[in-house]
Amino acid sequence: MTRLRAVIAEDSAVVREGIARLLEDAGYNVVAKVGDADALIAAVEAEQPDVVIADIRMPPTLTDDGARAAAHLRHRYPHLPILLLSQHIETSHSVMLAAQGAFGYLLKDRVLEVDDFLDALSRVARGGSALDPDVVASLVRSNGRKGPLAALSPRERDVLGLMAEGRSNAAIAAHLTLAERTVESHIGSLLSKLGLTDTADGHRRVLAVLTYLTAAS
Amino acid sequence: MKRWDVAAGALAALALVAATAQLVISVRVVPALLAENLVAIAVTTPAVVLGVVVARRLPHNAVGAILTLTGTASLLDTALESWAVTAGLPNALPGADAVAVVAGGTWMLHYVGPLLLALLFPTGRPLSPVWRLAVVACFAIPIGFLAAQLLATGEAGMWASVPFLAGLLALLVISVVSVVLRYRRSHELQRRQMRWLLVSATLLPIALVICFAEFGLFGTTNGVGIALALLIVALPISVGVAMLRHNLWGYDRVLAGTVRWALLVAALSTVYAVAAVALGLLFGPDTPLVSAIATLIAATVFLPLQRLLRRWIDARFQPKRELLLSEVRRFVLAVRDGRVEPEELQTVLRRFGGAGLSVRVGDVPASIHANPESGLTAADVKELESEARLPLELAVLRADLREALTQTAASRSRLVAAADDERRRIQRDLHDGAQANLVALGMRLRRLQRNPGRAGSIPAAELNDDLDASVELVQRTISDLRALAQGVRPSSLDEGLDAAIRGMVQSVPMPVELSLDAISVPEPSATAAYYLAAEAVTNALKHARAGRIRIALEKVAEGIRLSVEDNGSGGASETIGSGLAGIRDRVEAAGGRLSVSSSHETGTRVEAVFP
């Protein structure tokens, strides 16, 4: 299997090096490590990587330069997978991006949950999505008081959250220590309660759930 | 625009000719006329001369020329009369008979000037275009009268002149109406001018009545001369005064005072007389008791009577001043009751005194200012000011207070902005330093944790290096956090302000002269003082390139004083956003006072006194 080529954009050198070593240990080929948004765009154009990991807050303005660079790259390379790292939760904008697929949005400290982080990165690299659990939780919270979400059972709500994070059925089953068939039936039940059509394609189901959550919130 | 001074000059020349003619006739031909003609010349001279003076001063105003015309017309008439008198004498002047006929119809000339004045004074323009007809009539009627006299003689002449006599009477009435209307429509200054005219103008109808009465009763016309002489002297003087003395300060006051005292004396005399007569009837006349009691009664009524008269007369002679004073008194009561704001004094003054009045809160003490058009004298304004002292002072205090509040609000928002900036800086420092270090440390530990499982055991040396790097991250984080905490509040302040300043100057790359008393300075003054010292030292090094810095901390009468002096190039300023402006806010927020003096010669001295 060919090693995926990754570009890392992060202004703090220690964190940048840390992520790079993490990725290399996990079998990625880190082709560029940059410290600001302009360098990120230049590196992507030069290297044409398979996946981009970018901090949202970066020079030059130290506000949301990373997010704006990501939007620019998404416009130029619609299929380029991008994983954004953030200091704090910002829901609506990130969820809208995640719902398009090949996009991830994680809090930066998630990096320390190395397995989850690498799992999320590989999902994004394969065209899936990855939403930080905190973001999903706040989404579900804001939707949960009324409407169809209130009709879900607690277990179904857990499954919905994990789906929204972008995990596969197998990963959900492993996370909840359930049989994969049980997860399947929970998913079928919650999708019908929400009035969404079930499809066999895991990605498309996740995207439908995300779209539902953002539209409702 | 017409040059009335030229017209006045021409008329004056004509007057000179007429006067000369009179003198020549009376000296050479009819010596008996000399006294009469000298009187005529004497009484008309003021009108001619003053008219020229007024016209020269106000060349675009017809009043001067009209005034001259008044004198010239009289002189012309008397000159013609003198000429006519020679008719029938052995050495009669040529054409004396014809002149005698003409002279019989020229007496109306005397009225032309006064009538024109009534119609045109003091602006030199008629009230409205319609009134121009009356002006034209002032000339047309005497000319018509003269023509009637010349064309028809005897009985017919009498009847022919009747319409013109009636016209003259009508014109008199019309001119009085014009004066009244003009007075009503004028502002205060014009009214003052017109009051001068009114004094002498009242002589006009009186003169006319006297003449008609004398002619009707005795068939003689001796009074005419006297009445006209009075009129002709009084008129130019009052017109001249009115036209030339614009600021007729005190006139109303003097007039009112005179009338008031005259009335007071009359009233007191009456009271005394009535009392004396009444008491005399009771106790018999000429007893000392009667005089004493009558005097007592008169003395008792003196003060209330004087006050009553004052109010009554002031209201008539100085209505505006009276009105203003009473309105201001009412306003002061309203201010005291809290019904109106003291700043509305201006509105009250404007409403009742016109736009010429203004309140000047910026003056010390606050004052009322009146321009000449307001018609108020300096004494009036003083009186208004003393009546309005309360609202004036209140307005000043409130203005000061507002100013102080504005400054406080500005200082507060600067402090908030500075605090926001500070928070942002701390957030950034935390994020870029401690937080990033901790994330990196976490990742390093994770990697150590994961790698043995994947690649077997790590060599001891490599493990050691990794752990060294990890500890180094921890140490760097600690020192970052310490620097951050120091920026928020120097921990050395815990050992006292003097110790903190000593610690601070250790990093200064030049000797700093310290004179620090070990005073316990409470928060927040201590922090403010510390930052003041730090900022002043930084400025001295960075901007002023000083060679010597001296810091002193001492106890003074007002509290605690911290001063920083340098011998640098000066130029310290407190522009918005500068370090010193921020320091001022800090010092003032702690209740202290900051003073900065900075010059090229003496360097910079920054000093704060905390209570």
Side-chain angles (χ1 to χ4, degrees):
Chain A
M1 164 187 140
T2 54
R3 297 169 73 203
L4 288 176
R5 305 170 73 251
V7 166
I8 301 172
E10 156 69 55
D11 58 325
S12 164
V14 276
V15 176
R16 189 165 66 224
E17 290 307 320
I19 294 173
R21 290 176 74 172
L22 212 60
L23 260 57
E24 273 163 358
D25 287 349
Y28 286 84
N29 177 18
V30 178
V31 292
K33 296 176 278 187
V34 297
D36 65 76
D38 298 337
L40 167 61
I41 291 170
V44 169
E45 279 172 0
E47 302 290 341
Q48 300 289 327
D50 299 314
V51 65
V52 167
I53 300 163
D55 188 4
I56 285 182
R57 187 178 162 284
M58 271 198 301
T61 69
L62 283 176
T63 52
D64 61 344
D65 301 75
R68 276 190 276 140
H72 173 78
L73 291 173
R74 173 49 54 106
H75 184 69
R76 278 207 61 184
Y77 311 102
H79 301 294
L80 173 67
I82 300 173
L83 175 63
L84 282 181
L85 298 179
S86 172
Q87 291 294 337
H88 57 91
I89 302 176
E90 189 273 330
T91 320
S92 56
H93 192 61
S94 56
V95 175
M96 248 156 57
L97 281 170
Q100 298 169 1
F103 186 86
Y105 180 90
L106 294 179
L107 288 180
K108 201 183 263 180
D109 6 332
R110 230 35 97 180
V111 177
L112 297 181
E113 307 295 329
V114 179
D115 289 330
D116 284 351
F117 173 67
L118 291 174
D119 182 41
L121 179 61
S122 78
R123 278 206 312 274
V124 170
R126 280 183 279 112
S129 62
L131 260 191
D132 194 272
D134 283 359
V135 175
V136 172
S138 89
L139 260 184
V140 173
R141 222 179 8 254
S142 67
N143 276 288
R145 296 270 168 271
K146 51 192 185 301
L149 275 191
L152 300 186
S153 72
R155 188 50 102 186
E156 284 168 351
R157 216 174 295 174
D158 291 343
V159 173
L160 174 75
L162 291 167
M163 274 179 84
E165 282 177 31
R167 292 173 196 259
S168 66
N169 292 359
I172 295 172
H175 195 89
L176 295 176
T177 53
L178 291 173
E180 206 171 328
R181 289 189 60 89
T182 321
V183 171
E184 284 286 351
S185 81
H186 281 311
I187 290 175
S189 153
L190 74 89
L191 286 179
S192 78
K193 281 184 185 173
L194 299 182
L196 299 172
T197 25
D198 198 356
T199 70
D201 186 342
H203 284 342
R204 284 176 57 193
R205 272 202 319 221
V206 169
L207 301 188
V209 167
L210 280 180
T211 311
Y212 174 84
L213 286 176
T214 29
S217 67
Chain B
M1 201 142 225
K2 288 166 190 147
R3 299 284 304 202
W4 290 106
D5 50 344
V6 178
L11 286 168
L14 190 57
L16 195 62
V17 171
T20 314
Q22 280 181 52
L23 286 175
V24 169
I25 292 169
S26 42
V27 170
R28 290 280 177 81
V29 188
V30 200
L33 280 178
L34 185 59
E36 196 182 311
N37 282 349
L38 279 177
V39 170
I41 290 168
V43 298
T44 50
T45 305
V48 175
V49 174
L50 273 168
V52 172
V53 172
V54 170
R56 281 185 64 109
R57 186 79 70 84
L58 307 165
H60 301 300
N61 191 319
V63 169
I66 294 172
L67 200 53
T68 307
L69 175 68
T70 311
T72 308
S74 294
L75 282 172
L76 271 180
D77 184 47
T78 41
L80 290 176
E81 296 262 10
S82 305
W83 193 344
V85 165
T86 63
L89 292 178
N91 49 352
L93 288 173
D97 289 328
V99 170
V101 176
V102 173
T106 53
W107 61 266
M108 272 196 190
L109 280 179
H110 291 287
Y111 287 91
V112 174
L115 282 172
L116 284 173
L117 276 179
L119 289 169
L120 301 174
F121 179 85
T123 59
R125 284 186 297 276
L127 264 183
S128 69
V130 178
W131 290 89
R132 231 170 256 169
L133 290 175
V135 175
V136 173
C138 285
F139 294 99
I141 288 173
I143 291 169
F145 178 73
L146 179 60
Q149 292 289 301
L150 294 179
L151 296 177
T153 49
E155 188 85 354
M158 284 269 279
W159 286 114
S161 61
V162 165
F164 299 103
L165 287 170
L168 183 66
L169 276 174
L171 211 48
L172 282 171
V173 173
I174 286 169
S175 64
V176 170
V177 170
S178 165
V179 169
V180 171
L181 283 181
R182 193 187 285 273
Y183 189 83
R184 283 214 189 136
R185 294 175 194 176
S186 330
H187 57 77
E188 189 58 26
L189 178 68
Q190 251 184 40
R191 288 188 176 187
R192 276 165 185 269
Q193 291 179 309
M194 293 185 74
R195 261 174 255 161
W196 281 101
L197 180 70
L198 283 177
V199 172
S200 54
T202 45
L203 294 172
L204 182 71
I206 293 171
L208 209 61
V209 167
I210 290 173
C211 296
F212 283 143
E214 187 194 1
F215 187 71
L217 290 173
F218 311 107
T220 58
T221 56
N222 296 329
V224 176
I226 299 164
L228 284 181
L230 259 179
L231 180 62
I232 288 167
V233 174
L235 197 64
I237 290 175
S238 53
V239 169
V241 170
M243 293 302 287
L244 298 177
R245 285 221 46 202
H246 265 262
N247 303 323
L248 308 160
W249 299 135
Y251 158 69
D252 280 342
R253 280 182 90 77
V254 171
L255 199 61
T258 311
V259 172
R260 185 168 72 237
W261 284 106
L263 283 179
L264 189 62
V265 168
L268 283 179
S269 313
T270 312
V271 167
Y272 182 85
V274 168
V277 167
L279 290 167
L281 288 177
L282 280 176
F283 304 107
D286 294 337
T287 59
L289 183 70
V290 168
S291 322
I293 294 178
T295 308
L296 190 66
I297 293 174
T300 312
V301 296
F302 173 78
L303 269 181
L305 193 65
Q306 199 237 16
R307 208 168 296 148
L308 192 77
L309 277 171
R310 182 188 193 110
R311 199 169 303 153
W312 188 79
I313 285 169
D314 278 359
R316 268 143 199 83
F317 283 82
Q318 295 176 292
K320 182 170 178 178
R321 175 180 160 279
E322 262 313 290
L323 179 70
L324 267 173
L325 280 174
S326 73
E327 285 302 325
V328 166
R329 275 184 211 117
R330 250 187 18 192
F331 175 74
V332 170
L333 283 181
V335 169
R336 203 173 293 164
D337 294 351
R339 282 179 279 128
V340 294
E341 306 289 321
E343 287 81 4
E344 289 170 36
L345 177 62
Q346 171 95 331
T347 322
V348 171
L349 291 177
R350 289 258 160 98
R351 187 183 310 146
F352 297 101
L357 286 173
S358 52
V359 172
R360 296 194 172 167
V361 174
D363 292 359
V364 179
S367 66
I368 294 173
H369 183 258
N371 63 15
E373 278 72 36
S374 69
L376 290 174
T377 67
D380 292 342
V381 174
K382 269 236 153 49
E383 209 164 340
L384 271 180
E385 272 176 359
S386 69
E387 286 291 345
R389 192 41 62 197
L390 173 74
L392 279 175
E393 288 311 318
L394 275 179
V396 171
L397 289 175
R398 285 161 56 115
D400 288 352
L401 190 61
R402 267 194 296 274
E403 167 71 17
L405 284 177
T406 313
Q407 279 180 7
T408 308
S411 159
R412 193 170 51 204
S413 62
R414 280 199 303 274
L415 277 175
V416 169
D420 282 349
D421 285 349
E422 186 78 0
R423 261 198 291 280
R424 251 192 299 281
R425 190 183 65 75
I426 292 171
Q427 186 200 19
R428 203 162 52 228
D429 288 354
L430 278 173
H431 169 260
D432 294 345
Q435 203 176 351
N437 287 347
L438 289 174
V439 170
L441 176 65
M443 282 191 294
R444 195 173 279 277
L445 294 175
R446 279 290 190 212
R447 195 164 164 270
L448 285 177
Q449 178 190 38
R450 289 164 60 85
N451 278 355
R454 193 178 298 175
S457 63
I458 302 176
E462 196 179 315
L463 181 66
N464 203 38
D465 286 351
D466 265 342
L467 287 177
D468 268 352
S470 301
V471 171
E472 193 195 315
L473 269 178
V474 172
Q475 283 168 336
R476 208 192 302 169
T477 307
I478 291 170
S479 81
D480 279 0
L481 287 174
R482 185 187 297 127
L484 201 63
Q486 187 77 8
V488 176
R489 181 182 175 276
S491 55
S492 54
L493 270 177
D494 294 340
E495 294 152 43
L497 178 57
D498 52 322
I501 292 176
R502 254 184 212 108
M504 185 260 295
V505 299
Q506 271 166 13
S507 61
V508 175
M510 64 153 53
V512 179
E513 195 183 321
L514 292 177
S515 159
L516 306 172
D517 296 348
I519 316 164
S520 130
V521 183
E523 289 293 349
S525 301
T527 308
Y530 175 83
Y531 280 109
L532 162 68
E535 177 71 24
V537 168
T538 307
N539 285 346
L541 292 173
K542 234 168 58 184
H543 305 303
R545 292 180 303 282
R548 183 177 61 79
I549 302 176
R550 185 173 185 283
I551 306 178
L553 174 67
E554 63 211 308
K555 222 176 176 76
V556 291
E558 303 99 307
I560 293 153
R561 181 169 68 198
L562 177 77
S563 58
V564 182
E565 293 169 290
D566 67 51
N567 63 346
S569 57
S573 79
E574 288 182 58
T575 46
I576 304 245
S578 77
L580 266 183
I583 293 297
R584 177 176 290 281
D585 288 340
R586 263 192 205 259
V587 168
E588 286 176 357
R593 278 184 298 105
L594 181 79
S595 53
V596 178
S597 60
S598 188
S599 81
H600 188 68
E601 288 76 27
T602 59
T604 302
R605 178 184 166 86
V606 183
E607 175 189 302
V609 177
F610 296 94

